PDB file of all heavy atoms in Angstrom:
ATOM      1  N   LEU A   1     115.327  10.614 -63.295  1.00 91.00           N
ATOM      2  CA  LEU A   1     116.279   9.634 -62.764  1.00 91.00           C
ATOM      3  C   LEU A   1     117.553  10.316 -62.280  1.00 91.00           C
ATOM      4  O   LEU A   1     118.136   9.915 -61.271  1.00 91.00           O
ATOM      5  CB  LEU A   1     116.626   8.585 -63.814  1.00 91.00           C
ATOM      6  CG  LEU A   1     115.599   7.490 -64.050  1.00 91.00           C
ATOM      7  CD1 LEU A   1     116.030   6.589 -65.191  1.00 91.00           C
ATOM      8  CD2 LEU A   1     115.357   6.680 -62.796  1.00 91.00           C
ATOM      9  N   ALA A   2     117.972  11.365 -62.987  1.00 92.00           N
ATOM     10  CA  ALA A   2     119.171  12.102 -62.570  1.00 92.00           C
ATOM     11  C   ALA A   2     118.934  12.779 -61.220  1.00 92.00           C
ATOM     12  O   ALA A   2     119.831  12.824 -60.374  1.00 92.00           O
ATOM     13  CB  ALA A   2     119.569  13.129 -63.623  1.00 92.00           C
ATOM     14  N   GLU A   3     117.723  13.287 -60.995  1.00 94.00           N
ATOM     15  CA  GLU A   3     117.399  13.883 -59.695  1.00 94.00           C
ATOM     16  C   GLU A   3     117.413  12.818 -58.602  1.00 94.00           C
ATOM     17  O   GLU A   3     117.897  13.056 -57.493  1.00 94.00           O
ATOM     18  CB  GLU A   3     116.044  14.587 -59.760  1.00 94.00           C
ATOM     19  CG  GLU A   3     116.102  15.872 -60.560  1.00 94.00           C
ATOM     20  CD  GLU A   3     114.738  16.515 -60.787  1.00 94.00           C
ATOM     21  OE1 GLU A   3     113.717  16.000 -60.279  1.00 94.00           O
ATOM     22  OE2 GLU A   3     114.704  17.544 -61.480  1.00 94.00           O
ATOM     23  N   ASP A   4     116.898  11.626 -58.928  1.00 94.00           N
ATOM     24  CA  ASP A   4     116.956  10.520 -57.969  1.00 94.00           C
ATOM     25  C   ASP A   4     118.408  10.156 -57.661  1.00 94.00           C
ATOM     26  O   ASP A   4     118.765   9.904 -56.507  1.00 94.00           O
ATOM     27  CB  ASP A   4     116.230   9.284 -58.521  1.00 94.00           C
ATOM     28  CG  ASP A   4     114.721   9.459 -58.599  1.00 94.00           C
ATOM     29  OD1 ASP A   4     114.193  10.425 -57.991  1.00 94.00           O
ATOM     30  OD2 ASP A   4     114.071   8.648 -59.288  1.00 94.00           O
ATOM     31  N   ALA A   5     119.231  10.132 -58.703  1.00 94.00           N
ATOM     32  CA  ALA A   5     120.651   9.807 -58.526  1.00 94.00           C
ATOM     33  C   ALA A   5     121.346  10.851 -57.658  1.00 94.00           C
ATOM     34  O   ALA A   5     122.184  10.512 -56.816  1.00 94.00           O
ATOM     35  CB  ALA A   5     121.352   9.689 -59.879  1.00 94.00           C
ATOM     36  N   LEU A   6     120.995  12.111 -57.851  1.00 95.00           N
ATOM     37  CA  LEU A   6     121.558  13.191 -57.037  1.00 95.00           C
ATOM     38  C   LEU A   6     121.272  12.940 -55.557  1.00 95.00           C
ATOM     39  O   LEU A   6     122.175  12.970 -54.720  1.00 95.00           O
ATOM     40  CB  LEU A   6     120.972  14.536 -57.481  1.00 95.00           C
ATOM     41  CG  LEU A   6     121.271  15.747 -56.610  1.00 95.00           C
ATOM     42  CD1 LEU A   6     122.758  16.092 -56.654  1.00 95.00           C
ATOM     43  CD2 LEU A   6     120.428  16.940 -57.067  1.00 95.00           C
ATOM     44  N   GLN A   7     120.013  12.676 -55.241  1.00 95.00           N
ATOM     45  CA  GLN A   7     119.631  12.455 -53.846  1.00 95.00           C
ATOM     46  C   GLN A   7     120.294  11.194 -53.277  1.00 95.00           C
ATOM     47  O   GLN A   7     120.820  11.199 -52.165  1.00 95.00           O
ATOM     48  CB  GLN A   7     118.104  12.363 -53.718  1.00 95.00           C
ATOM     49  CG  GLN A   7     117.379  13.613 -54.142  1.00 95.00           C
ATOM     50  CD  GLN A   7     117.862  14.867 -53.446  1.00 95.00           C
ATOM     51  OE1 GLN A   7     118.081  14.866 -52.240  1.00 95.00           O
ATOM     52  NE2 GLN A   7     118.053  15.940 -54.201  1.00 95.00           N
ATOM     53  N   GLU A   8     120.265  10.126 -54.058  1.00 95.00           N
ATOM     54  CA  GLU A   8     120.854   8.868 -53.591  1.00 95.00           C
ATOM     55  C   GLU A   8     122.360   8.992 -53.392  1.00 95.00           C
ATOM     56  O   GLU A   8     122.919   8.432 -52.446  1.00 95.00           O
ATOM     57  CB  GLU A   8     120.541   7.745 -54.591  1.00 95.00           C
ATOM     58  CG  GLU A   8     121.076   6.387 -54.182  1.00 95.00           C
ATOM     59  CD  GLU A   8     120.507   5.854 -52.878  1.00 95.00           C
ATOM     60  OE1 GLU A   8     119.365   6.199 -52.520  1.00 95.00           O
ATOM     61  OE2 GLU A   8     121.230   5.092 -52.197  1.00 95.00           O
ATOM     62  N   THR A   9     123.011   9.757 -54.247  1.00 95.00           N
ATOM     63  CA  THR A   9     124.460   9.963 -54.119  1.00 95.00           C
ATOM     64  C   THR A   9     124.783  10.582 -52.766  1.00 95.00           C
ATOM     65  O   THR A   9     125.679  10.114 -52.051  1.00 95.00           O
ATOM     66  CB  THR A   9     124.997  10.851 -55.257  1.00 95.00           C
ATOM     67  OG1 THR A   9     124.836  10.152 -56.499  1.00 95.00           O
ATOM     68  CG2 THR A   9     126.463  11.194 -55.046  1.00 95.00           C
ATOM     69  N   PHE A  10     124.057  11.627 -52.399  1.00 96.00           N
ATOM     70  CA  PHE A  10     124.373  12.292 -51.143  1.00 96.00           C
ATOM     71  C   PHE A  10     123.927  11.481 -49.931  1.00 96.00           C
ATOM     72  O   PHE A  10     124.525  11.594 -48.855  1.00 96.00           O
ATOM     73  CB  PHE A  10     123.841  13.730 -51.135  1.00 96.00           C
ATOM     74  CG  PHE A  10     124.738  14.630 -51.938  1.00 96.00           C
ATOM     75  CD1 PHE A  10     124.481  14.894 -53.271  1.00 96.00           C
ATOM     76  CD2 PHE A  10     125.901  15.148 -51.377  1.00 96.00           C
ATOM     77  CE1 PHE A  10     125.337  15.687 -54.021  1.00 96.00           C
ATOM     78  CE2 PHE A  10     126.766  15.937 -52.112  1.00 96.00           C
ATOM     79  CZ  PHE A  10     126.487  16.207 -53.440  1.00 96.00           C
ATOM     80  N   LEU A  11     122.930  10.623 -50.090  1.00 95.00           N
ATOM     81  CA  LEU A  11     122.610   9.685 -49.011  1.00 95.00           C
ATOM     82  C   LEU A  11     123.772   8.709 -48.810  1.00 95.00           C
ATOM     83  O   LEU A  11     124.143   8.392 -47.684  1.00 95.00           O
ATOM     84  CB  LEU A  11     121.327   8.911 -49.332  1.00 95.00           C
ATOM     85  CG  LEU A  11     120.023   9.666 -49.165  1.00 95.00           C
ATOM     86  CD1 LEU A  11     118.855   8.839 -49.698  1.00 95.00           C
ATOM     87  CD2 LEU A  11     119.796  10.040 -47.708  1.00 95.00           C
ATOM     88  N   GLN A  12     124.342   8.265 -49.910  1.00 94.00           N
ATOM     89  CA  GLN A  12     125.478   7.351 -49.810  1.00 94.00           C
ATOM     90  C   GLN A  12     126.722   8.055 -49.271  1.00 94.00           C
ATOM     91  O   GLN A  12     127.522   7.435 -48.570  1.00 94.00           O
ATOM     92  CB  GLN A  12     125.751   6.689 -51.152  1.00 94.00           C
ATOM     93  CG  GLN A  12     124.697   5.662 -51.493  1.00 94.00           C
ATOM     94  CD  GLN A  12     125.092   4.775 -52.644  1.00 94.00           C
ATOM     95  OE1 GLN A  12     126.254   4.656 -53.005  1.00 94.00           O
ATOM     96  NE2 GLN A  12     124.100   4.135 -53.242  1.00 94.00           N
ATOM     97  N   VAL A  13     126.891   9.330 -49.622  1.00 95.00           N
ATOM     98  CA  VAL A  13     128.010  10.098 -49.050  1.00 95.00           C
ATOM     99  C   VAL A  13     127.872  10.116 -47.537  1.00 95.00           C
ATOM    100  O   VAL A  13     128.850   9.935 -46.809  1.00 95.00           O
ATOM    101  CB  VAL A  13     128.060  11.535 -49.623  1.00 95.00           C
ATOM    102  CG1 VAL A  13     128.960  12.427 -48.794  1.00 95.00           C
ATOM    103  CG2 VAL A  13     128.519  11.509 -51.074  1.00 95.00           C
ATOM    104  N   TRP A  14     126.664  10.337 -47.049  1.00 95.00           N
ATOM    105  CA  TRP A  14     126.404  10.372 -45.609  1.00 95.00           C
ATOM    106  C   TRP A  14     126.820   9.064 -44.945  1.00 95.00           C
ATOM    107  O   TRP A  14     127.446   9.067 -43.888  1.00 95.00           O
ATOM    108  CB  TRP A  14     124.930  10.669 -45.357  1.00 95.00           C
ATOM    109  CG  TRP A  14     124.561  10.702 -43.911  1.00 95.00           C
ATOM    110  CD1 TRP A  14     123.895   9.738 -43.204  1.00 95.00           C
ATOM    111  CD2 TRP A  14     124.838  11.750 -42.965  1.00 95.00           C
ATOM    112  NE1 TRP A  14     123.744  10.113 -41.900  1.00 95.00           N
ATOM    113  CE2 TRP A  14     124.316  11.353 -41.728  1.00 95.00           C
ATOM    114  CE3 TRP A  14     125.478  12.972 -43.054  1.00 95.00           C
ATOM    115  CZ2 TRP A  14     124.413  12.137 -40.585  1.00 95.00           C
ATOM    116  CZ3 TRP A  14     125.572  13.760 -41.931  1.00 95.00           C
ATOM    117  CH2 TRP A  14     125.043  13.334 -40.710  1.00 95.00           C
ATOM    118  N   THR A  15     126.497   7.946 -45.592  1.00 93.00           N
ATOM    119  CA  THR A  15     126.811   6.652 -44.971  1.00 93.00           C
ATOM    120  C   THR A  15     128.246   6.183 -45.254  1.00 93.00           C
ATOM    121  O   THR A  15     128.795   5.395 -44.487  1.00 93.00           O
ATOM    122  CB  THR A  15     125.831   5.553 -45.450  1.00 93.00           C
ATOM    123  OG1 THR A  15     125.899   5.435 -46.871  1.00 93.00           O
ATOM    124  CG2 THR A  15     124.408   5.879 -45.033  1.00 93.00           C
ATOM    125  N   ALA A  16     128.867   6.671 -46.340  1.00 91.00           N
ATOM    126  CA  ALA A  16     130.204   6.190 -46.717  1.00 91.00           C
ATOM    127  C   ALA A  16     131.326   7.131 -46.299  1.00 91.00           C
ATOM    128  O   ALA A  16     132.493   6.803 -46.489  1.00 91.00           O
ATOM    129  CB  ALA A  16     130.261   5.970 -48.228  1.00 91.00           C
ATOM    130  N   ALA A  17     131.011   8.271 -45.747  1.00 92.00           N
ATOM    131  CA  ALA A  17     132.041   9.268 -45.423  1.00 92.00           C
ATOM    132  C   ALA A  17     133.102   8.715 -44.482  1.00 92.00           C
ATOM    133  O   ALA A  17     134.273   9.092 -44.586  1.00 92.00           O
ATOM    134  CB  ALA A  17     131.397  10.518 -44.826  1.00 92.00           C
ATOM    135  N   GLN A  18     132.719   7.810 -43.595  1.00 91.00           N
ATOM    136  CA  GLN A  18     133.694   7.239 -42.658  1.00 91.00           C
ATOM    137  C   GLN A  18     134.741   6.389 -43.364  1.00 91.00           C
ATOM    138  O   GLN A  18     135.831   6.187 -42.856  1.00 91.00           O
ATOM    139  CB  GLN A  18     132.982   6.398 -41.600  1.00 91.00           C
ATOM    140  CG  GLN A  18     132.131   7.233 -40.680  1.00 91.00           C
ATOM    141  CD  GLN A  18     131.365   6.387 -39.680  1.00 91.00           C
ATOM    142  OE1 GLN A  18     131.100   5.219 -39.913  1.00 91.00           O
ATOM    143  NE2 GLN A  18     131.018   6.992 -38.559  1.00 91.00           N
ATOM    144  N   ARG A  19     134.404   5.891 -44.557  1.00 89.00           N
ATOM    145  CA  ARG A  19     135.331   5.028 -45.300  1.00 89.00           C
ATOM    146  C   ARG A  19     136.169   5.810 -46.313  1.00 89.00           C
ATOM    147  O   ARG A  19     136.998   5.217 -47.007  1.00 89.00           O
ATOM    148  CB  ARG A  19     134.552   3.926 -46.008  1.00 89.00           C
ATOM    149  CG  ARG A  19     133.877   2.959 -45.041  1.00 89.00           C
ATOM    150  CD  ARG A  19     133.224   1.797 -45.756  1.00 89.00           C
ATOM    151  NE  ARG A  19     132.275   2.174 -46.787  1.00 89.00           N
ATOM    152  CZ  ARG A  19     130.975   2.381 -46.592  1.00 89.00           C
ATOM    153  NH1 ARG A  19     130.462   2.267 -45.390  1.00 89.00           N
ATOM    154  NH2 ARG A  19     130.189   2.714 -47.596  1.00 89.00           N
ATOM    155  N   TYR A  20     135.954   7.122 -46.406  1.00 87.00           N
ATOM    156  CA  TYR A  20     136.713   7.939 -47.352  1.00 87.00           C
ATOM    157  C   TYR A  20     138.175   7.978 -46.927  1.00 87.00           C
ATOM    158  O   TYR A  20     138.495   8.187 -45.766  1.00 87.00           O
ATOM    159  CB  TYR A  20     136.151   9.365 -47.424  1.00 87.00           C
ATOM    160  CG  TYR A  20     136.948  10.259 -48.337  1.00 87.00           C
ATOM    161  CD1 TYR A  20     136.820  10.138 -49.712  1.00 87.00           C
ATOM    162  CD2 TYR A  20     137.849  11.190 -47.833  1.00 87.00           C
ATOM    163  CE1 TYR A  20     137.560  10.945 -50.564  1.00 87.00           C
ATOM    164  CE2 TYR A  20     138.590  11.995 -48.685  1.00 87.00           C
ATOM    165  CZ  TYR A  20     138.441  11.869 -50.044  1.00 87.00           C
ATOM    166  OH  TYR A  20     139.174  12.657 -50.886  1.00 87.00           O
ATOM    167  N   ILE A  21     139.075   7.781 -47.901  1.00 81.00           N
ATOM    168  CA  ILE A  21     140.505   7.796 -47.631  1.00 81.00           C
ATOM    169  C   ILE A  21     141.102   9.049 -48.267  1.00 81.00           C
ATOM    170  O   ILE A  21     140.952   9.271 -49.469  1.00 81.00           O
ATOM    171  CB  ILE A  21     141.189   6.535 -48.207  1.00 81.00           C
ATOM    172  CG1 ILE A  21     140.606   5.287 -47.551  1.00 81.00           C
ATOM    173  CG2 ILE A  21     142.694   6.610 -48.017  1.00 81.00           C
ATOM    174  CD1 ILE A  21     141.022   3.991 -48.226  1.00 81.00           C
ATOM    175  N   VAL A  22     141.789   9.848 -47.476  1.00 72.00           N
ATOM    176  CA  VAL A  22     142.431  11.074 -47.962  1.00 72.00           C
ATOM    177  C   VAL A  22     143.596  10.687 -48.854  1.00 72.00           C
ATOM    178  O   VAL A  22     144.474   9.942 -48.442  1.00 72.00           O
ATOM    179  CB  VAL A  22     142.913  11.948 -46.782  1.00 72.00           C
ATOM    180  CG1 VAL A  22     143.656  13.162 -47.295  1.00 72.00           C
ATOM    181  CG2 VAL A  22     141.751  12.356 -45.906  1.00 72.00           C
ATOM    182  N   ARG A  23     143.572  11.196 -50.085  1.00 66.00           N
ATOM    183  CA  ARG A  23     144.641  10.858 -51.028  1.00 66.00           C
ATOM    184  C   ARG A  23     145.345  12.093 -51.568  1.00 66.00           C
ATOM    185  O   ARG A  23     146.197  11.988 -52.415  1.00 66.00           O
ATOM    186  CB  ARG A  23     144.056  10.069 -52.192  1.00 66.00           C
ATOM    187  CG  ARG A  23     143.533   8.719 -51.758  1.00 66.00           C
ATOM    188  CD  ARG A  23     143.220   7.853 -52.946  1.00 66.00           C
ATOM    189  NE  ARG A  23     142.806   6.552 -52.464  1.00 66.00           N
ATOM    190  CZ  ARG A  23     141.639   6.006 -52.705  1.00 66.00           C
ATOM    191  NH1 ARG A  23     140.767   6.624 -53.448  1.00 66.00           N
ATOM    192  NH2 ARG A  23     141.338   4.827 -52.222  1.00 66.00           N
ATOM    193  N   GLY A  24     144.924  13.270 -51.129  1.00 59.00           N
ATOM    194  CA  GLY A  24     145.562  14.491 -51.585  1.00 59.00           C
ATOM    195  C   GLY A  24     145.026  15.006 -52.910  1.00 59.00           C
ATOM    196  O   GLY A  24     145.466  16.020 -53.413  1.00 59.00           O
ATOM    197  N   LYS A  25     144.071  14.289 -53.506  1.00 60.00           N
ATOM    198  CA  LYS A  25     143.444  14.733 -54.740  1.00 60.00           C
ATOM    199  C   LYS A  25     142.094  15.339 -54.395  1.00 60.00           C
ATOM    200  O   LYS A  25     141.571  15.157 -53.310  1.00 60.00           O
ATOM    201  CB  LYS A  25     143.212  13.555 -55.692  1.00 60.00           C
ATOM    202  CG  LYS A  25     144.467  13.012 -56.320  1.00 60.00           C
ATOM    203  CD  LYS A  25     144.104  11.956 -57.331  1.00 60.00           C
ATOM    204  CE  LYS A  25     145.315  11.449 -58.059  1.00 60.00           C
ATOM    205  NZ  LYS A  25     144.967  10.440 -59.042  1.00 60.00           N
ATOM    206  N   CYS A  26     141.510  16.025 -55.342  1.00 68.00           N
ATOM    207  CA  CYS A  26     140.188  16.609 -55.156  1.00 68.00           C
ATOM    208  C   CYS A  26     139.172  15.486 -54.951  1.00 68.00           C
ATOM    209  O   CYS A  26     139.090  14.567 -55.764  1.00 68.00           O
ATOM    210  CB  CYS A  26     139.825  17.463 -56.359  1.00 68.00           C
ATOM    211  SG  CYS A  26     138.275  18.327 -56.160  1.00 68.00           S
ATOM    212  N   PRO A  27     138.401  15.521 -53.886  1.00 82.00           N
ATOM    213  CA  PRO A  27     137.446  14.449 -53.584  1.00 82.00           C
ATOM    214  C   PRO A  27     136.266  14.354 -54.551  1.00 82.00           C
ATOM    215  O   PRO A  27     135.453  13.462 -54.432  1.00 82.00           O
ATOM    216  CB  PRO A  27     136.938  14.798 -52.187  1.00 82.00           C
ATOM    217  CG  PRO A  27     137.786  15.872 -51.677  1.00 82.00           C
ATOM    218  CD  PRO A  27     138.492  16.495 -52.821  1.00 82.00           C
ATOM    219  N   VAL A  28     136.202  15.261 -55.520  1.00 83.00           N
ATOM    220  CA  VAL A  28     135.103  15.191 -56.477  1.00 83.00           C
ATOM    221  C   VAL A  28     135.149  13.872 -57.253  1.00 83.00           C
ATOM    222  O   VAL A  28     134.113  13.350 -57.644  1.00 83.00           O
ATOM    223  CB  VAL A  28     135.092  16.422 -57.425  1.00 83.00           C
ATOM    224  CG1 VAL A  28     136.234  16.393 -58.407  1.00 83.00           C
ATOM    225  CG2 VAL A  28     133.768  16.541 -58.146  1.00 83.00           C
ATOM    226  N   THR A  29     136.327  13.305 -57.430  1.00 81.00           N
ATOM    227  CA  THR A  29     136.446  12.025 -58.112  1.00 81.00           C
ATOM    228  C   THR A  29     135.730  10.933 -57.320  1.00 81.00           C
ATOM    229  O   THR A  29     135.016  10.106 -57.894  1.00 81.00           O
ATOM    230  CB  THR A  29     137.938  11.661 -58.296  1.00 81.00           C
ATOM    231  OG1 THR A  29     138.582  12.738 -58.968  1.00 81.00           O
ATOM    232  CG2 THR A  29     138.103  10.392 -59.087  1.00 81.00           C
ATOM    233  N   TRP A  30     135.905  10.938 -56.009  1.00 86.00           N
ATOM    234  CA  TRP A  30     135.215   9.978 -55.133  1.00 86.00           C
ATOM    235  C   TRP A  30     133.707  10.190 -55.221  1.00 86.00           C
ATOM    236  O   TRP A  30     132.938   9.237 -55.374  1.00 86.00           O
ATOM    237  CB  TRP A  30     135.714  10.155 -53.695  1.00 86.00           C
ATOM    238  CG  TRP A  30     135.011   9.333 -52.660  1.00 86.00           C
ATOM    239  CD1 TRP A  30     135.141   7.987 -52.449  1.00 86.00           C
ATOM    240  CD2 TRP A  30     134.085   9.794 -51.675  1.00 86.00           C
ATOM    241  NE1 TRP A  30     134.349   7.592 -51.395  1.00 86.00           N
ATOM    242  CE2 TRP A  30     133.689   8.693 -50.898  1.00 86.00           C
ATOM    243  CE3 TRP A  30     133.558  11.045 -51.371  1.00 86.00           C
ATOM    244  CZ2 TRP A  30     132.793   8.792 -49.850  1.00 86.00           C
ATOM    245  CZ3 TRP A  30     132.672  11.147 -50.320  1.00 86.00           C
ATOM    246  CH2 TRP A  30     132.285  10.031 -49.566  1.00 86.00           C
ATOM    247  N   LEU A  31     133.288  11.427 -55.163  1.00 89.00           N
ATOM    248  CA  LEU A  31     131.870  11.781 -55.194  1.00 89.00           C
ATOM    249  C   LEU A  31     131.234  11.350 -56.515  1.00 89.00           C
ATOM    250  O   LEU A  31     130.154  10.746 -56.529  1.00 89.00           O
ATOM    251  CB  LEU A  31     131.719  13.291 -54.991  1.00 89.00           C
ATOM    252  CG  LEU A  31     130.322  13.861 -54.936  1.00 89.00           C
ATOM    253  CD1 LEU A  31     129.544  13.286 -53.759  1.00 89.00           C
ATOM    254  CD2 LEU A  31     130.391  15.376 -54.812  1.00 89.00           C
ATOM    255  N   LEU A  32     131.909  11.618 -57.617  1.00 86.00           N
ATOM    256  CA  LEU A  32     131.353  11.239 -58.920  1.00 86.00           C
ATOM    257  C   LEU A  32     131.461   9.738 -59.165  1.00 86.00           C
ATOM    258  O   LEU A  32     130.686   9.183 -59.941  1.00 86.00           O
ATOM    259  CB  LEU A  32     131.998  12.055 -60.031  1.00 86.00           C
ATOM    260  CG  LEU A  32     131.650  13.552 -59.975  1.00 86.00           C
ATOM    261  CD1 LEU A  32     132.384  14.323 -61.063  1.00 86.00           C
ATOM    262  CD2 LEU A  32     130.156  13.804 -60.057  1.00 86.00           C
ATOM    263  N   GLY A  33     132.375   9.077 -58.478  1.00 86.00           N
ATOM    264  CA  GLY A  33     132.424   7.612 -58.536  1.00 86.00           C
ATOM    265  C   GLY A  33     131.177   7.019 -57.893  1.00 86.00           C
ATOM    266  O   GLY A  33     130.589   6.057 -58.407  1.00 86.00           O
ATOM    267  N   ILE A  34     130.766   7.603 -56.780  1.00 91.00           N
ATOM    268  CA  ILE A  34     129.516   7.172 -56.138  1.00 91.00           C
ATOM    269  C   ILE A  34     128.353   7.420 -57.092  1.00 91.00           C
ATOM    270  O   ILE A  34     127.485   6.568 -57.280  1.00 91.00           O
ATOM    271  CB  ILE A  34     129.299   7.915 -54.797  1.00 91.00           C
ATOM    272  CG1 ILE A  34     130.346   7.480 -53.773  1.00 91.00           C
ATOM    273  CG2 ILE A  34     127.885   7.655 -54.257  1.00 91.00           C
ATOM    274  CD1 ILE A  34     130.328   8.288 -52.483  1.00 91.00           C
ATOM    275  N   THR A  35     128.347   8.598 -57.719  1.00 91.00           N
ATOM    276  CA  THR A  35     127.279   8.948 -58.661  1.00 91.00           C
ATOM    277  C   THR A  35     127.216   7.945 -59.804  1.00 91.00           C
ATOM    278  O   THR A  35     126.127   7.518 -60.210  1.00 91.00           O
ATOM    279  CB  THR A  35     127.504  10.365 -59.224  1.00 91.00           C
ATOM    280  OG1 THR A  35     127.663  11.278 -58.147  1.00 91.00           O
ATOM    281  CG2 THR A  35     126.347  10.799 -60.098  1.00 91.00           C
ATOM    282  N   LYS A  36     128.366   7.563 -60.310  1.00 88.00           N
ATOM    283  CA  LYS A  36     128.417   6.608 -61.426  1.00 88.00           C
ATOM    284  C   LYS A  36     127.794   5.274 -61.018  1.00 88.00           C
ATOM    285  O   LYS A  36     127.021   4.683 -61.769  1.00 88.00           O
ATOM    286  CB  LYS A  36     129.870   6.409 -61.863  1.00 88.00           C
ATOM    287  CG  LYS A  36     130.041   5.579 -63.096  1.00 88.00           C
ATOM    288  CD  LYS A  36     131.498   5.562 -63.516  1.00 88.00           C
ATOM    289  CE  LYS A  36     131.677   4.866 -64.842  1.00 88.00           C
ATOM    290  NZ  LYS A  36     133.060   4.951 -65.319  1.00 88.00           N
ATOM    291  N   ASN A  37     128.116   4.802 -59.817  1.00 89.00           N
ATOM    292  CA  ASN A  37     127.547   3.540 -59.333  1.00 89.00           C
ATOM    293  C   ASN A  37     126.044   3.652 -59.109  1.00 89.00           C
ATOM    294  O   ASN A  37     125.290   2.728 -59.428  1.00 89.00           O
ATOM    295  CB  ASN A  37     128.251   3.093 -58.056  1.00 89.00           C
ATOM    296  CG  ASN A  37     129.680   2.677 -58.315  1.00 89.00           C
ATOM    297  OD1 ASN A  37     130.026   2.234 -59.399  1.00 89.00           O
ATOM    298  ND2 ASN A  37     130.530   2.840 -57.320  1.00 89.00           N
ATOM    299  N   VAL A  38     125.606   4.775 -58.555  1.00 93.00           N
ATOM    300  CA  VAL A  38     124.170   4.997 -58.335  1.00 93.00           C
ATOM    301  C   VAL A  38     123.443   5.021 -59.673  1.00 93.00           C
ATOM    302  O   VAL A  38     122.393   4.394 -59.838  1.00 93.00           O
ATOM    303  CB  VAL A  38     123.928   6.308 -57.550  1.00 93.00           C
ATOM    304  CG1 VAL A  38     122.471   6.719 -57.593  1.00 93.00           C
ATOM    305  CG2 VAL A  38     124.392   6.164 -56.106  1.00 93.00           C
ATOM    306  N   ALA A  39     124.002   5.739 -60.648  1.00 90.00           N
ATOM    307  CA  ALA A  39     123.379   5.833 -61.975  1.00 90.00           C
ATOM    308  C   ALA A  39     123.285   4.453 -62.625  1.00 90.00           C
ATOM    309  O   ALA A  39     122.266   4.111 -63.240  1.00 90.00           O
ATOM    310  CB  ALA A  39     124.166   6.791 -62.858  1.00 90.00           C
ATOM    311  N   ARG A  40     124.327   3.673 -62.490  1.00 87.00           N
ATOM    312  CA  ARG A  40     124.326   2.319 -63.061  1.00 87.00           C
ATOM    313  C   ARG A  40     123.197   1.482 -62.442  1.00 87.00           C
ATOM    314  O   ARG A  40     122.466   0.787 -63.153  1.00 87.00           O
ATOM    315  CB  ARG A  40     125.687   1.657 -62.806  1.00 87.00           C
ATOM    316  CG  ARG A  40     125.894   0.379 -63.571  1.00 87.00           C
ATOM    317  CD  ARG A  40     127.284  -0.206 -63.366  1.00 87.00           C
ATOM    318  NE  ARG A  40     128.300   0.731 -63.824  1.00 87.00           N
ATOM    319  CZ  ARG A  40     129.430   0.980 -63.175  1.00 87.00           C
ATOM    320  NH1 ARG A  40     129.691   0.377 -62.040  1.00 87.00           N
ATOM    321  NH2 ARG A  40     130.308   1.831 -63.651  1.00 87.00           N
TER     322      ARG A  40
END
């Protein structure tokens, strides 16, 4: 399931990248937020 989540996360990054808002923080928080939602 974690491998599925990995793949799904990056598919969502591909589709959600246009909505990413630059906040000056490390974007890993955004990326892991997507992962958390996918895992849920």
Side-chain angles (χ1 to χ4, degrees):
L1 282 176
E3 288 173 3
D4 290 346
L6 171 67
Q7 299 306 316
E8 182 62 28
T9 295
F10 282 94
L11 284 172
Q12 288 193 19
V13 165
W14 179 256
T15 59
Q18 293 177 336
R19 295 186 305 271
Y20 177 76
I21 299 169
V22 176
R23 294 191 176 120
K25 288 185 176 181
C26 185
V28 71
T29 305
W30 175 74
L31 182 62
L32 293 177
I34 292 172
T35 307
K36 187 174 187 175
N37 291 332
V38 167
R40 191 176 299 138

